[in-house]
């Protein structure tokens, strides 16, 4: 069987990397020295190749190396390794298995290796877990140009043993010349960063967002052979966004390598120009937003107390326009209907942003990857995800900012029908409410609708294209008229201004939304294991045998949205 030249070159490169990884060269030197000394003696220094091969075979070095390559029976792998993933190894570590994947030799790839971490001082006192011992773990998630990856969990430590490699396709979902290999100039124009999210999971399955970082990868374009190592300093989140939490050692490598790298000055100049352009866009939008706010207050001075939220802080403490947090999100075949999307969002855990000490609520609108990886968030996180999913289904969806109950700040989602019908969606429960406004001018005998929703006031609504502030005499939800085209009731922001700073191609906006991952559980298979009934008869028989005469067994049904036994048992004890 003849391989094409590019495959032969790739296979040679993989074997060469594998030889270096398993340290074959030093082992050959050791065998050579021993053989010269023990078997042939000093009087016969000439050692043939056959003698050396026999010695290597006797010691099992050749067999070990062939096992590492994982060759198939015909002597050639059907799928060449996407890229060798050599990890930093010491002599006492087990060899890592290479994962095979297909690569397109006409495409450009970026291989990102995480070669351990250091200076995670919060875990300085934690000792290495014993084999089989349950411990807290770190998991690193990546997102780059509609590609999403997750590392293997590693025990939490001051120097966590991250040893993972990720193959990122630089031209993913590109148009036009997408079939042509990207050159250095084309890649320099790709401003999408690599988002890194570090999650800690404790022994009970509770997750904590440790860090969220946007990695600028284009420095690799200005180095020889397209290989560079970076020490990525991770900052905390929320109130601790200025405090370092640890450092990741990262190696970036382009496949195939660039024939001619760009000069570091060109790369630096491009990044500087992008930052200046971003800063100018932010400045112009801020000037416009201030003028728009002054006009809004001129309508009615009491508008100053309404919840009109134009900017919100993300987990890194950066102020972004709220419209940037929403974007049409198509879930493919993972979610079939808008109501199923509402169910999916409400299953995600609810947790307010943690804050050290008192003093009120800590504001934190998480980026989508951080929210999905942590698997829980505040009501704003749920609303931006639900609104994005409903927009992906083709609905006219908006995030509503207002209050509920006793003037508690809250957000929910609204869909605006083609016939003007308004439906509220509660992202934390999945419930839907039809809105029918109360007309205060009706006679007292006219029966008014009784609202079932918990919302009291509404200050503004927004999505990825529109921002509308409520300028009606009353901000009560019951009295609100949702005629969004009537500027006497809803004051709009300029859609061009929103587009300039929130469009997907803008460097100011958040990166594209990460793709959803399919469930690891097969619902049909899970049902087949128990049949239609979960075994209620057997459960009753077992309970009757355990309950003494004169006593009564009482049970309380609890529904869980997870399968962590420790958390389930703790909930039952409470």
């Amino acid at each position: 069987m003849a391989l094409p030249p590019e495959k032969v070159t790739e296979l040679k490169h993989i074997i060469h990397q594998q030889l270096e990884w398993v340290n074959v060269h030093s082992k050959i030197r050791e065998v050579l020295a021993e053989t010269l000394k023990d078997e042939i003696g000093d009087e016969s220094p000439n050692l043939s190749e056959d003698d050396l091969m026999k010695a290597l075979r006797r010691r099992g070095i050749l067999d070990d190396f062939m096992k590492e390559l994982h060759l198939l029976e015909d002597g050639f792998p059907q799928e060449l390794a996407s890229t060798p993933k050599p990890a930093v190894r010491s002599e006492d570590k087990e060899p890592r298995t290479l994962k095979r994947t297909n690569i397109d030799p006409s495409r450009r790839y970026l291989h990102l290796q995480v070669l351990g971490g250091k200076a995670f001082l919060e875990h300085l006192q934690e000792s290495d877990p014993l084999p089989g011992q349950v411990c807290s773990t770190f998991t690193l998630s990546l997102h780059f140009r509609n590609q999403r990856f997750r590392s293997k969990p590693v025990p939490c430590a001051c120097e966590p043993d991250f040893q993972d490699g990720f193959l990122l396709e630089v031209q993913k979902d590109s148009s036009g010349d997408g079939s042509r290999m990207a050159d250095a100039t084309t890649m320099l124009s790709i401003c999408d960063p690599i988002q890194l999210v570090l999650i800690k999971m404790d022994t009970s399955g509770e997750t904590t967002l440790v860090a969220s970082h946007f990695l600028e990868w284009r420095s690799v374009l200005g180095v020889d052979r397209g290989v560079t190592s970076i020490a990525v300093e991770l900052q905390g989140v929320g109130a601790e966004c200025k405090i370092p939490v640890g450092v990741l050692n990262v190696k970036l490598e382009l496949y195939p390598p660039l024939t001619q790298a760009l000069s570091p000055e060109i790369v630096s100049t491009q990044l500087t120009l992008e930052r200046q352009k971003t800063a100018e866009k932010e400045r112009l939008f801020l000037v416009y937003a201030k003028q728009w706010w002054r006009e809004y207050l001129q309508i009615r001075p009491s508008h100053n107390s309404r919840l009109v939220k134009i900017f919100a802080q993300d987990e890194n403490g950066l102020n972004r326009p709220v419209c940037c947090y929403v974007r049409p999100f198509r879930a493919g075949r993972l979610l079939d209907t808008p109501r199923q999307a509402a169910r999916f969002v409400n299953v995600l855990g609810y947790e307010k942003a943690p804050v050290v000490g008192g003093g009120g609520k800590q504001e934190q609108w998480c980026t989508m990857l951080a929210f999905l990886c942590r698997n829980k968030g505040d009501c704003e996180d749920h609303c931006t995800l639900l609104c994005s999913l409903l927009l992906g289904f083709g609905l006219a969806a908006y995030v509503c900012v207002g209050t509920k109950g006793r003037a508690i700040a809250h957000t929910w989602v609204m869909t605006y029908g083609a016939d003007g019908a308004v439906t509220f969606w509660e992202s934390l429960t999945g419930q839907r409410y039809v809105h029918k406004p109360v007309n205060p001018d009706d006679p007292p005998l006219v029966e008014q609708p009784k609202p079932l929703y918990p919302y009291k006031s509404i200050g503004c609504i927004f999505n990825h294209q529109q921002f509308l502030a409520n300028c009606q005499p009353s901000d009560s939800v019951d009295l609100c008229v949702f005629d969004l085209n009537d500027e006497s009731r809803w004051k709009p922001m300029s859609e061009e201004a929103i587009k300039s700073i929130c469009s997907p191609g803008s460097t100011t906006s958040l990166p594209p939304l990460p793709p959803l991952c399919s469930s690891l559980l097969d619902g049909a298979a899970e049902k087949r294991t128990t049949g239609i009934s979960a075994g209620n008869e057997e459960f009753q028989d077992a309970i009757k045998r355990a309950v003494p005469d004169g006593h009564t067994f009482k049970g309380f049904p609890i529904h869980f949205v997870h399968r962590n036994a420790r958390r389930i048992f703790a909930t039952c004890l409470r």
Side-chain angles (χ1 to χ4, degrees):
M1 184 182 73
L3 287 175
E6 62 271 11
K7 291 292 185 181
V8 173
T9 303
E10 185 182 353
L11 183 58
K12 287 180 179 179
H13 183 67
I14 293 169
I15 295 175
H16 176 71
Q17 292 282 352
Q18 190 71 14
L19 285 170
E20 292 183 351
W21 189 22
V22 298
N23 206 13
V24 165
H25 298 95
S26 63
K27 294 179 181 178
I28 291 176
R29 294 190 192 99
E30 295 173 3
V31 172
L32 180 60
E34 292 176 8
T35 306
L36 283 171
K37 181 178 179 180
D38 300 335
E39 300 181 11
I40 296 183
D42 296 334
E43 69 278 0
S44 302
N46 295 325
L47 181 66
S48 68
E49 184 178 343
D50 291 338
D51 294 330
L52 179 59
M53 294 298 291
K54 290 178 182 178
L56 292 173
R57 192 174 287 110
R58 274 198 301 272
R59 284 162 174 76
I61 295 176
L62 284 181
D63 293 338
D64 292 342
F65 176 66
M66 297 302 289
K67 289 178 182 177
E68 286 288 337
L69 279 183
H70 292 285
L71 294 182
L72 301 180
E73 293 181 0
D74 61 357
F76 290 96
Q78 296 299 321
E79 296 177 357
L80 293 177
S82 62
T83 168
K85 297 183 180 179
V88 176
R89 298 173 55 226
S90 58
E91 293 299 325
D92 57 346
K93 290 183 180 178
E94 293 294 327
R96 309 265 177 161
T97 303
L98 292 177
K99 182 180 179 182
R100 299 196 210 113
T101 184
N102 285 318
I103 67 169
D104 185 348
S106 66
R107 310 285 280 182
R108 186 80 69 181
Y109 295 89
L110 177 67
H111 185 222
L112 185 149
Q113 288 179 261
V114 185
L115 304 176
K118 59 184 179 181
F120 286 81
L121 301 180
E122 187 176 340
H123 305 278
L124 186 61
Q125 304 298 326
E126 297 190 17
S127 57
D128 293 336
L130 298 173
Q133 179 183 0
V134 178
C135 64
S136 300
T137 58
F138 280 141
T139 304
L140 185 67
S141 297
L142 284 80
H143 173 228
F144 177 67
R145 309 203 81 191
N146 204 35
Q147 302 162 82
R148 185 175 168 187
F149 303 90
R150 185 172 62 181
S151 72
K152 295 181 289 292
V154 299
C156 294
C158 181
E159 296 185 356
D161 186 28
F162 285 110
Q163 301 292 338
D164 255 310
F166 309 95
L167 192 67
L168 312 177
E169 189 174 342
V170 179
Q171 296 162 284
K172 185 73 173 177
D173 295 339
S174 58
S175 58
D177 294 335
S179 60
R180 185 186 307 170
M181 181 179 292
D183 56 13
T185 305
T186 301
M187 290 189 287
L188 186 61
S189 65
I190 299 175
C191 58
D192 297 303
I194 301 173
Q195 186 177 6
L196 307 174
V197 170
L198 183 62
I199 299 293
K200 175 186 175 182
M201 179 178 288
D202 62 19
T203 55
S204 65
E206 290 290 341
T207 57
T208 305
L209 177 61
V210 178
S212 174
H213 181 81
F214 291 97
L215 175 63
E216 179 52 70
W217 57 274
R218 284 176 288 178
S219 60
V220 74
L221 302 175
V223 295
D224 292 336
R225 303 188 311 278
V227 181
T228 184
S229 297
I230 304 174
V232 180
E233 185 180 54
L234 301 179
Q235 306 289 337
V237 297
E240 304 173 15
C241 62
K242 303 298 181 183
I243 302 174
V245 296
V247 176
L248 291 180
N249 296 320
V250 173
K251 180 181 178 182
L252 298 175
E253 185 171 2
L254 286 173
Y255 284 97
L258 291 173
T259 55
Q260 184 176 2
L262 300 174
S263 67
E265 291 77 14
I266 292 178
V267 177
S268 176
T269 302
Q270 173 70 16
L271 300 182
T272 301
L273 290 174
E274 288 181 2
R275 284 192 293 267
Q276 292 175 351
K277 183 179 179 181
T278 298
E280 180 63 14
K281 283 186 177 182
E282 292 175 346
R283 187 189 68 83
L284 292 176
F285 183 80
L286 181 60
V287 170
Y288 168 76
K290 287 182 176 180
Q291 178 61 31
W292 180 92
W293 177 248
R294 284 193 293 267
E295 294 173 359
Y296 181 66
L297 294 182
Q298 289 173 359
I299 298 174
R300 198 174 288 108
S302 62
H303 287 176
N304 192 39
S305 62
R306 296 190 179 182
L307 288 177
V308 179
K309 190 151 194 68
I310 304 174
F311 297 92
Q313 286 187 353
D314 65 6
E315 67 267 22
N316 293 320
L318 296 177
N319 271 319
R320 301 180 186 271
V322 291
C323 297
C324 293
Y325 292 89
V326 177
R327 194 171 296 170
F329 193 5
R330 294 183 178 178
R333 297 185 179 274
L334 297 179
L335 298 171
D336 296 326
T337 66
R339 298 195 186 191
Q340 190 176 359
R343 168 63 178 163
F344 164 71
V345 174
N346 105 266
V347 164
L348 297 176
Y350 169 66
E351 180 183 81
K352 294 183 179 179
V355 59
V356 178
K361 177 183 177 182
Q362 170 71 36
E363 180 182 5
Q364 180 176 302
W365 290 41
C366 281
T367 58
M368 196 62 69
L369 182 65
F371 176 42
L372 293 175
C373 293
R374 190 171 57 149
N375 206 30
K376 60 184 176 182
D378 211 333
C379 62
E380 292 88 357
D381 304 324
H382 287 77
C383 284
T384 53
L385 175 57
L386 178 57
C387 184
S388 298
L389 288 170
L390 296 181
L391 287 170
F393 279 106
L395 299 177
Y398 300 84
V399 175
C400 304
V401 181
T403 62
K404 69 173 185 177
R406 299 178 180 177
I408 300 173
H410 188 63
T411 57
W412 65 96
V413 178
M414 177 192 85
T415 52
Y416 190 72
D419 57 352
V422 172
T423 304
F424 294 149
W425 303 65
E426 177 51 58
S427 62
L428 298 179
T429 63
Q431 290 180 286
R432 300 167 66 253
Y433 307 97
V434 177
H435 175 258
K436 295 181 179 179
V438 174
N439 188 354
D441 298 328
D442 283 342
L445 296 179
V446 175
E447 186 177 358
Q448 297 289 352
K450 295 181 180 179
L452 301 176
Y453 46 80
Y455 317 121
K456 298 301 180 183
S457 67
I458 182 168
C460 65
I461 63 174
F462 66 88
N463 58 20
H464 64 301
Q465 294 177 329
Q466 293 180 285
F467 185 95
L468 301 159
N470 184 4
C471 54
Q472 299 175 53
S474 171
D475 63 351
S476 172
V477 179
D478 298 345
L479 304 177
C480 187
V481 177
F482 287 93
D483 184 359
L484 304 184
N485 296 319
D486 187 352
E487 295 191 8
S488 67
R489 290 190 168 99
W490 295 94
K491 178 174 175 56
M493 267 193 175
S494 166
E495 294 189 17
E496 289 299 320
I498 295 174
K499 185 178 180 180
S500 69
I501 200 170
C502 295
S503 61
S506 172
T507 56
T508 313
S509 67
L510 289 164
L513 300 179
L516 293 181
C517 298
S518 58
S519 175
L520 299 177
L521 299 177
D522 186 348
E526 293 289 325
K527 289 182 180 181
R528 284 198 297 269
T529 59
T530 58
I532 304 243
S533 171
N536 190 40
E537 296 83 1
E538 295 83 357
F539 174 75
Q540 290 185 7
D541 288 342
I543 290 297
K544 288 178 180 177
R545 294 183 68 250
V547 176
D549 292 338
H551 291 73
T552 302
F553 172 82
K554 292 184 178 181
F556 182 79
I558 306 178
H559 177 70
F560 295 97
V561 295
H562 58 82
R563 307 196 334 157
N564 187 289
R566 293 174 180 268
R567 290 172 60 188
I568 290 174
F569 185 64
T571 303
C572 292
L573 290 180
R574 287 198 301 267

PDB file of all heavy atoms in Angstrom, residues 390-410:
ATOM      1  N   LEU A 390     -34.290  31.100  22.037  1.00  0.00           N
ATOM      2  CA  LEU A 390     -35.572  31.439  21.411  1.00  0.00           C
ATOM      3  C   LEU A 390     -35.356  32.234  20.128  1.00  0.00           C
ATOM      4  O   LEU A 390     -36.094  32.053  19.150  1.00  0.00           O
ATOM      5  CB  LEU A 390     -36.442  32.233  22.395  1.00  0.00           C
ATOM      6  CG  LEU A 390     -36.871  31.478  23.667  1.00  0.00           C
ATOM      7  CD1 LEU A 390     -37.749  32.361  24.547  1.00  0.00           C
ATOM      8  CD2 LEU A 390     -37.607  30.191  23.323  1.00  0.00           C
ATOM      9  N   LEU A 391     -34.359  33.102  20.107  1.00  0.00           N
ATOM     10  CA  LEU A 391     -34.020  33.797  18.862  1.00  0.00           C
ATOM     11  C   LEU A 391     -33.569  32.793  17.801  1.00  0.00           C
ATOM     12  O   LEU A 391     -33.883  32.941  16.613  1.00  0.00           O
ATOM     13  CB  LEU A 391     -32.903  34.812  19.116  1.00  0.00           C
ATOM     14  CG  LEU A 391     -33.282  36.082  19.886  1.00  0.00           C
ATOM     15  CD1 LEU A 391     -32.033  36.859  20.267  1.00  0.00           C
ATOM     16  CD2 LEU A 391     -34.204  36.969  19.058  1.00  0.00           C
ATOM     17  N   GLY A 392     -32.842  31.760  18.217  1.00  0.00           N
ATOM     18  CA  GLY A 392     -32.412  30.732  17.285  1.00  0.00           C
ATOM     19  C   GLY A 392     -33.567  29.945  16.698  1.00  0.00           C
ATOM     20  O   GLY A 392     -33.454  29.411  15.582  1.00  0.00           O
ATOM     21  N   PHE A 393     -34.669  29.864  17.417  1.00  0.00           N
ATOM     22  CA  PHE A 393     -35.882  29.211  16.900  1.00  0.00           C
ATOM     23  C   PHE A 393     -36.713  30.141  16.028  1.00  0.00           C
ATOM     24  O   PHE A 393     -37.786  29.759  15.562  1.00  0.00           O
ATOM     25  CB  PHE A 393     -36.740  28.692  18.051  1.00  0.00           C
ATOM     26  CG  PHE A 393     -36.279  27.366  18.605  1.00  0.00           C
ATOM     27  CD1 PHE A 393     -35.633  27.280  19.817  1.00  0.00           C
ATOM     28  CD2 PHE A 393     -36.500  26.191  17.886  1.00  0.00           C
ATOM     29  CE1 PHE A 393     -35.202  26.068  20.317  1.00  0.00           C
ATOM     30  CE2 PHE A 393     -36.080  24.971  18.387  1.00  0.00           C
ATOM     31  CZ  PHE A 393     -35.423  24.901  19.599  1.00  0.00           C
ATOM     32  N   GLY A 394     -36.256  31.369  15.812  1.00  0.00           N
ATOM     33  CA  GLY A 394     -36.957  32.301  14.933  1.00  0.00           C
ATOM     34  C   GLY A 394     -37.974  33.177  15.630  1.00  0.00           C
ATOM     35  O   GLY A 394     -38.741  33.869  14.955  1.00  0.00           O
ATOM     36  N   LEU A 395     -38.013  33.173  16.956  1.00  0.00           N
ATOM     37  CA  LEU A 395     -38.966  34.000  17.687  1.00  0.00           C
ATOM     38  C   LEU A 395     -38.394  35.386  17.944  1.00  0.00           C
ATOM     39  O   LEU A 395     -37.175  35.570  18.000  1.00  0.00           O
ATOM     40  CB  LEU A 395     -39.321  33.336  19.028  1.00  0.00           C
ATOM     41  CG  LEU A 395     -39.972  31.952  18.948  1.00  0.00           C
ATOM     42  CD1 LEU A 395     -40.196  31.385  20.348  1.00  0.00           C
ATOM     43  CD2 LEU A 395     -41.294  32.012  18.200  1.00  0.00           C
ATOM     44  N   ALA A 396     -39.288  36.358  18.106  1.00  0.00           N
ATOM     45  CA  ALA A 396     -38.883  37.715  18.490  1.00  0.00           C
ATOM     46  C   ALA A 396     -38.787  37.748  20.008  1.00  0.00           C
ATOM     47  O   ALA A 396     -39.774  37.962  20.708  1.00  0.00           O
ATOM     48  CB  ALA A 396     -39.900  38.741  17.983  1.00  0.00           C
ATOM     49  N   ALA A 397     -37.591  37.489  20.530  1.00  0.00           N
ATOM     50  CA  ALA A 397     -37.391  37.332  21.971  1.00  0.00           C
ATOM     51  C   ALA A 397     -36.596  38.511  22.517  1.00  0.00           C
ATOM     52  O   ALA A 397     -35.722  39.065  21.837  1.00  0.00           O
ATOM     53  CB  ALA A 397     -36.679  36.019  22.270  1.00  0.00           C
ATOM     54  N   TYR A 398     -36.896  38.873  23.767  1.00  0.00           N
ATOM     55  CA  TYR A 398     -36.223  39.969  24.451  1.00  0.00           C
ATOM     56  C   TYR A 398     -35.984  39.574  25.900  1.00  0.00           C
ATOM     57  O   TYR A 398     -36.771  38.826  26.499  1.00  0.00           O
ATOM     58  CB  TYR A 398     -37.075  41.251  24.431  1.00  0.00           C
ATOM     59  CG  TYR A 398     -37.404  41.788  23.061  1.00  0.00           C
ATOM     60  CD1 TYR A 398     -38.482  41.280  22.342  1.00  0.00           C
ATOM     61  CD2 TYR A 398     -36.646  42.800  22.489  1.00  0.00           C
ATOM     62  CE1 TYR A 398     -38.795  41.772  21.082  1.00  0.00           C
ATOM     63  CE2 TYR A 398     -36.955  43.301  21.231  1.00  0.00           C
ATOM     64  CZ  TYR A 398     -38.025  42.778  20.529  1.00  0.00           C
ATOM     65  OH  TYR A 398     -38.335  43.265  19.291  1.00  0.00           O
ATOM     66  N   VAL A 399     -34.909  40.101  26.477  1.00  0.00           N
ATOM     67  CA  VAL A 399     -34.673  39.996  27.919  1.00  0.00           C
ATOM     68  C   VAL A 399     -35.320  41.202  28.577  1.00  0.00           C
ATOM     69  O   VAL A 399     -35.112  42.347  28.144  1.00  0.00           O
ATOM     70  CB  VAL A 399     -33.171  39.951  28.242  1.00  0.00           C
ATOM     71  CG1 VAL A 399     -32.948  39.971  29.755  1.00  0.00           C
ATOM     72  CG2 VAL A 399     -32.535  38.703  27.641  1.00  0.00           C
ATOM     73  N   CYS A 400     -36.124  40.969  29.613  1.00  0.00           N
ATOM     74  CA  CYS A 400     -36.805  42.040  30.351  1.00  0.00           C
ATOM     75  C   CYS A 400     -36.080  42.290  31.669  1.00  0.00           C
ATOM     76  O   CYS A 400     -35.732  41.343  32.380  1.00  0.00           O
ATOM     77  CB  CYS A 400     -38.261  41.670  30.634  1.00  0.00           C
ATOM     78  SG  CYS A 400     -39.233  41.263  29.176  1.00  0.00           S
ATOM     79  N   VAL A 401     -35.847  43.551  31.984  1.00  0.00           N
ATOM     80  CA  VAL A 401     -35.207  43.939  33.240  1.00  0.00           C
ATOM     81  C   VAL A 401     -36.221  44.712  34.065  1.00  0.00           C
ATOM     82  O   VAL A 401     -36.786  45.704  33.598  1.00  0.00           O
ATOM     83  CB  VAL A 401     -33.955  44.807  32.982  1.00  0.00           C
ATOM     84  CG1 VAL A 401     -33.297  45.183  34.309  1.00  0.00           C
ATOM     85  CG2 VAL A 401     -32.966  44.062  32.092  1.00  0.00           C
ATOM     86  N   GLY A 402     -36.462  44.238  35.285  1.00  0.00           N
ATOM     87  CA  GLY A 402     -37.455  44.891  36.139  1.00  0.00           C
ATOM     88  C   GLY A 402     -37.377  44.364  37.550  1.00  0.00           C
ATOM     89  O   GLY A 402     -36.296  44.037  38.053  1.00  0.00           O
ATOM     90  N   THR A 403     -38.556  44.261  38.190  1.00  0.00           N
ATOM     91  CA  THR A 403     -38.610  43.787  39.573  1.00  0.00           C
ATOM     92  C   THR A 403     -39.722  42.753  39.709  1.00  0.00           C
ATOM     93  O   THR A 403     -40.616  42.646  38.864  1.00  0.00           O
ATOM     94  CB  THR A 403     -38.888  44.934  40.560  1.00  0.00           C
ATOM     95  OG1 THR A 403     -40.168  45.513  40.264  1.00  0.00           O
ATOM     96  CG2 THR A 403     -37.811  46.000  40.477  1.00  0.00           C
ATOM     97  N   LYS A 404     -39.629  41.987  40.786  1.00  0.00           N
ATOM     98  CA  LYS A 404     -40.688  41.053  41.150  1.00  0.00           C
ATOM     99  C   LYS A 404     -40.885  41.124  42.652  1.00  0.00           C
ATOM    100  O   LYS A 404     -40.022  41.625  43.395  1.00  0.00           O
ATOM    101  CB  LYS A 404     -40.332  39.628  40.734  1.00  0.00           C
ATOM    102  CG  LYS A 404     -39.185  39.021  41.522  1.00  0.00           C
ATOM    103  CD  LYS A 404     -38.999  37.548  41.179  1.00  0.00           C
ATOM    104  CE  LYS A 404     -37.922  36.908  42.060  1.00  0.00           C
ATOM    105  NZ  LYS A 404     -37.754  35.465  41.798  1.00  0.00           N
ATOM    106  N   GLY A 405     -42.001  40.594  43.124  1.00  0.00           N
ATOM    107  CA  GLY A 405     -42.248  40.538  44.565  1.00  0.00           C
ATOM    108  C   GLY A 405     -42.123  41.887  45.229  1.00  0.00           C
ATOM    109  O   GLY A 405     -42.712  42.883  44.792  1.00  0.00           O
ATOM    110  N   ARG A 406     -41.307  41.929  46.270  1.00  0.00           N
ATOM    111  CA  ARG A 406     -41.128  43.162  47.043  1.00  0.00           C
ATOM    112  C   ARG A 406     -39.976  43.985  46.474  1.00  0.00           C
ATOM    113  O   ARG A 406     -38.937  44.172  47.112  1.00  0.00           O
ATOM    114  CB  ARG A 406     -40.873  42.824  48.504  1.00  0.00           C
ATOM    115  CG  ARG A 406     -42.032  42.064  49.164  1.00  0.00           C
ATOM    116  CD  ARG A 406     -41.714  41.700  50.603  1.00  0.00           C
ATOM    117  NE  ARG A 406     -42.815  40.975  51.227  1.00  0.00           N
ATOM    118  CZ  ARG A 406     -42.787  40.492  52.467  1.00  0.00           C
ATOM    119  NH1 ARG A 406     -41.684  40.647  53.205  1.00  0.00           N
ATOM    120  NH2 ARG A 406     -43.827  39.848  52.967  1.00  0.00           N
ATOM    121  N   ALA A 407     -40.156  44.445  45.268  1.00  0.00           N
ATOM    122  CA  ALA A 407     -39.188  45.323  44.590  1.00  0.00           C
ATOM    123  C   ALA A 407     -37.817  44.681  44.482  1.00  0.00           C
ATOM    124  O   ALA A 407     -36.785  45.355  44.572  1.00  0.00           O
ATOM    125  CB  ALA A 407     -39.098  46.667  45.300  1.00  0.00           C
ATOM    126  N   ILE A 408     -37.778  43.375  44.271  1.00  0.00           N
ATOM    127  CA  ILE A 408     -36.518  42.653  44.085  1.00  0.00           C
ATOM    128  C   ILE A 408     -36.152  42.693  42.608  1.00  0.00           C
ATOM    129  O   ILE A 408     -36.965  42.328  41.750  1.00  0.00           O
ATOM    130  CB  ILE A 408     -36.646  41.198  44.571  1.00  0.00           C
ATOM    131  CG1 ILE A 408     -37.007  41.152  46.055  1.00  0.00           C
ATOM    132  CG2 ILE A 408     -35.354  40.427  44.317  1.00  0.00           C
ATOM    133  CD1 ILE A 408     -37.316  39.762  46.557  1.00  0.00           C
ATOM    134  N   ALA A 409     -34.945  43.148  42.306  1.00  0.00           N
ATOM    135  CA  ALA A 409     -34.497  43.218  40.913  1.00  0.00           C
ATOM    136  C   ALA A 409     -34.502  41.819  40.296  1.00  0.00           C
ATOM    137  O   ALA A 409     -34.071  40.844  40.916  1.00  0.00           O
ATOM    138  CB  ALA A 409     -33.104  43.830  40.837  1.00  0.00           C
ATOM    139  N   HIS A 410     -35.001  41.722  39.060  1.00  0.00           N
ATOM    140  CA  HIS A 410     -35.146  40.413  38.432  1.00  0.00           C
ATOM    141  C   HIS A 410     -35.123  40.589  36.912  1.00  0.00           C
ATOM    142  O   HIS A 410     -35.406  41.675  36.387  1.00  0.00           O
ATOM    143  CB  HIS A 410     -36.479  39.775  38.858  1.00  0.00           C
ATOM    144  CG  HIS A 410     -36.637  38.347  38.429  1.00  0.00           C
ATOM    145  ND1 HIS A 410     -35.812  37.345  38.870  1.00  0.00           N
ATOM    146  CD2 HIS A 410     -37.520  37.763  37.575  1.00  0.00           C
ATOM    147  CE1 HIS A 410     -36.184  36.196  38.321  1.00  0.00           C
ATOM    148  NE2 HIS A 410     -37.219  36.430  37.526  1.00  0.00           N
TER     149      HIS A 410
END
